[in-house]
Amino acid sequence: MKLWSAAWSNGEPIPQRFAAGRLADDGSVQLSDNLSPPLAWSDLPPGTKSLVLVCHDFDVPSSAADVNQPGREVPVDLPRIDFFHWLLVDLPPGVSGFDEGQWSRGFTPRGKPGPDTGGPARQGLNDYTAWFAGDAERAGRYFGYDGPFPPFNDSLVHHYLFALYALDVAQLAVQGDFTGPQVREALAGHVLGAATLSGTYTLNKRLRAP
């Protein structure tokens, strides 16, 4: 299997139009275009009955004590955890890619609807659901794609992994408002093949390329 994007090469920085947050010209942090990226894939294994796409950031600070605090940085050696940005299941194997902005255009306060997509695929809850749970203006259920928005003071550049899985079942055994850990558990024993694409993103001015 192969997975790629026309917008960046594997391991390169993700363009900011695909992020949920960006740095403004004055150095402040604001919402970005939050476009879902263009993706394409090929060479599915024989017997593929459906596809699952997962995007997660594995560099999220395990403690929020220093997150987005002016005058200090999140330590680089702080243990890191997963943050799921996109869960898309039950994609038909005849689908071979997505256009830019096909699944997301702009950041929707309280979240985009789901899990239904208007087609055969279903979308799960991304982890902005938990992140904004205590925010009176943004609390809600965040389905589908919402892009990178790492802490502006993190000393670590974040890595984002898009993983496409070819399955031997037409429907993944997850129901309702399913989450990243539930998708991972349901994949066990059904994966015929997989392909990945990675990218990086940071809002730390010290770490950004000139």
Side-chain angles (χ1 to χ4, degrees), residues 91-106:
L91 273 170
V95 175
S96 59
F98 304 140
D99 295 329
E100 181 172 316
Q102 181 173 335
W103 294 94
S104 176
R105 287 184 173 272

Side-chain angles (χ1 to χ4, degrees), residues 88-131:
L88 187 59
V89 308
D90 302 346
L91 273 170
V95 175
S96 59
F98 304 140
D99 295 329
E100 181 172 316
Q102 181 173 335
W103 294 94
S104 176
R105 287 184 173 272
F107 192 82
T108 304
R110 302 192 184 282
K112 292 185 284 293
D116 260 344
T117 64
R122 295 179 290 150
Q123 299 195 104
L125 288 174
N126 67 53
D127 282 337
Y128 285 106
T129 303
W131 179 254

Side-chain angles (χ1 to χ4, degrees), residues 8 14 37 39 52-58 83-88 126-127 144-148 159-165 180 184 197:
W8 77 90
I14 296 172
L39 298 172
V52 168
L53 181 67
V54 175
C55 173
H56 80 284
D57 171 5
F58 51 81
F83 187 104
F84 290 92
H85 285 266
W86 199 5
L87 303 166
L88 187 59
N126 67 53
D127 282 337
Y145 178 82
D146 286 306
H159 293 77
Y160 298 82
L161 186 70
F162 293 80
L164 183 74
Y165 300 93
R184 281 182 171 169
L197 169 70

Side-chain angles (χ1 to χ4, degrees), residues 156-180:
L156 190 67
V157 174
H158 284 223
H159 293 77
Y160 298 82
L161 186 70
F162 293 80
L164 183 74
Y165 300 93
L167 306 187
D168 62 1
V169 292
Q171 286 192 321
L172 193 66
V174 289
Q175 302 298 325
D177 300 349
F178 58 89
T179 64

Side-chain angles (χ1 to χ4, degrees), residues 2 25 34 57 87 96 106 109 114 130 154 163 170 182 184 189 205 208:
K2 299 176 183 177
D25 292 339
N34 200 39
D57 171 5
L87 303 166
S96 59
D154 203 339
Q182 291 172 330
R184 281 182 171 169
K205 290 182 286 186
R208 292 172 69 90

Side-chain angles (χ1 to χ4, degrees), residues 181-207:
Q182 291 172 330
V183 169
R184 281 182 171 169
E185 182 177 358
L187 287 173
H190 295 294
V191 178
L192 299 174
T196 60
L197 169 70
S198 70
T200 63
Y201 197 74
T202 181
L203 293 176
N204 189 327
K205 290 182 286 186
R206 182 177 64 82
L207 301 177

